[in-house]
Amino acid sequence: MTSISVLSVVSEIYPLIKTGGLADVAGSLPAFLKPEGIAITSLVPGYRAVLSKIGDAVPIHVFPDLFGGPARLLRAQVGPLDLLVIDAPHLYDRPGTPYLDPEGENWPDNAIRFAALSAVGAAIGLGEVAAYCPDVVHAHDWQAGLTPAYLHYRGNGRTRAATIMTIHNLAFQGQYPPDLLPVLGLPPEAMAVNGVEYYGGIGYLKAGLQFADRITTVSPKYAEEICTLEGGMGLGSLLRDRIGDLQGILNGIDESVWDPSEDKLIAAKFDRLHIKPRRINKLSLQRRVGLREDTDVLLMGLISRLTWQKGIDILLDALPLILGTGAQVAIIGQGERAMERAVGDAVTAYPGRVGCVIGYDEELGHLLQAGADALLLPSRFEPCGLTQLYALRYGCVPVVARVGGLSDTVIDANEMARAEGIGTGIQFHPPTVEMLESAALRVAALWKKPALWRRIQRNGMRTDVSWRRSARLYAELYRELTGAQRAVEPEALRA
Ligand code: ADP
Ligand code: GLC
């Protein structure tokens, strides 16, 4: 099998830097593609956290002026990950997260910081970096969205890598004012409907969707949803136009990082045949989040960014009924300040019955999956979702809104599924307070039937949540595209 080289252009990657599921996906998929003959190299910005973790990196290229300062391209290896890191201190050497300053505000120059990521990705895709020339450039989310556009406008008829744009979340689109166009180094004609123009401004994700050879998103159901008026969030008609190039490929997880029988971050290891030690994790979790320690009470958990997408307000409104069933609720998350405060208020209102940790804590994330009995996911939309996959693997029963990837990955334990012995969780629809409440009542009723509960847990733990199947689909896509590697079409033909 000939090897295909793919440059993955991405703004975060686990274990170097993570704010959400994108990092998990970018960090875990490459290892599963290697056996398929696909060699992934990930291009990431040289944030402080990244530079501090890459050790002996080798400079392979210099960009004398990358949007206002010099930049070096460093080649590094971290575990199984082959990396190219953009060392550009004027853009990335800062405190805070990849996107926000320490006060939680977007960095004012994010448009430039991620245009730079995309411009470097495109330069590599055009063969301008002698040391490395990929067959495919795979851009993730709006931060890498300009990559296919730069490849198009800077190509001038040269051979270029094939391109894929993957949507992890259509809600974040990277919209910027039109006067940025010359600063971005894009030609005036790019300001057109079939260019980067988007509602009078410049749309980074739109640009990627316009120019990528193929588009993927992270679950089949979300691929359908984003082609609708509501789910399309302004990009639905473009996506409908390109439906033949759009594919939903379900995310998988790294089962070596998320393995309850080997997990060093939890209090007690367990597996499908020895579930009992979960109790120790439950007690430890209750202690950590300030809940009354009691293994007999049903403990429902939530771990998430605290945002509208995730339906945190739905959960908070449903709390009186949920707690009325006798259950406890543990919340781990950070995000919008008002939501963080609302979660804190709930803890004050229901001491010992609602517990929380506001912040980002990877270790606690593992303990929650290992100790909670059920995981609540009242998301209004969810492109894929990874926490329900971790939950399945950890015997934590997912209770999910039937949207996007949640709908594709959890089998509702209704009577029919139970008769077949295949239910793995609870689904509810639509994501409203009433529907979450009735789901909570179902969960509480199931919890009272230990044998049935155990069966649902075991079904979940047996579910294949690995990358194996999806890695093959990505590999097929890369193969298909490289068979069709092409020269940049003249502008006239595209218009
Ligand atoms: P999204 O990318 O939309 O945030 P995903 O479910 O795909 O949602 O991925 C979220 C990832 O971030 C998971 O790995 C989850 O465990 C992790 N996570 C979310 N919030 C926290 C938190 N407060 N502390 C630790 N990990 C978190
Ligand atoms: C996004 C989505 C989430 C998905 C993740 C990784 O952040 O919100 O549903 O799992 O990307 O693809």
Side-chain angles (χ1 to χ4, degrees), residues 163-185:
T163 50
I164 299 172
M165 182 78 232
T166 291
I167 303 166
H168 293 264
N169 195 331
L170 202 60
F172 302 102
Q173 301 189 350
Q175 272 177 272
Y176 294 103
D179 52 10
L180 209 60
L181 196 76
V183 182
L184 297 176

Side-chain angles (χ1 to χ4, degrees), residues 63-240:
F63 297 93
D65 180 12
L66 184 67
F67 294 96
R72 295 187 310 161
L73 195 58
L74 308 175
R75 175 177 266 165
Q77 172 115 33
V78 173
L81 295 174
D82 291 314
L83 299 164
L84 289 175
V85 175
I86 308 170
D87 179 20
H90 62 295
L91 300 173
Y92 307 126
D93 181 13
R94 307 173 184 186
T97 80
Y99 320 118
L100 308 176
D101 68 19
E103 277 70 54
E105 298 295 325
N106 281 313
W107 289 109
D109 58 347
N110 273 350
I112 301 300
R113 297 171 72 234
F114 295 110
L117 171 66
S118 302
V120 171
I124 297 171
L126 285 167
E128 290 170 15
V129 172
Y132 173 73
C133 189
D135 303 304
V136 178
V137 172
H138 187 161
H140 297 271
D141 269 355
W142 75 266
Q143 294 90 343
L146 285 185
T147 313
Y150 279 130
L151 271 159
H152 173 76
Y153 289 111
R154 295 187 173 171
N156 296 324
R158 280 182 284 166
T159 302
R160 63 162 171 88
T163 50
I164 299 172
M165 182 78 232
T166 291
I167 303 166
H168 293 264
N169 195 331
L170 202 60
F172 302 102
Q173 301 189 350
Q175 272 177 272
Y176 294 103
D179 52 10
L180 209 60
L181 196 76
V183 182
L184 297 176
L186 287 166
E189 67 268 22
M191 205 58 201
V193 179
N194 62 350
V196 304
E197 189 273 338
Y198 186 52
Y199 292 103
I202 299 166
Y204 282 30
L205 183 59
K206 187 264 173 158
L209 299 178
Q210 182 74 33
F211 289 108
D213 296 319
R214 297 291 284 271
I215 300 168
T216 72
T217 189
V218 288
S219 69
K221 180 77 177 171
Y222 194 58
E224 281 172 28
E225 290 171 355
I226 57 179
C227 289
T228 64
L229 187 64
E230 196 191 343
M233 298 184 165
L235 287 162
S237 75
L238 194 169
L239 287 164
R240 278 194 298 281

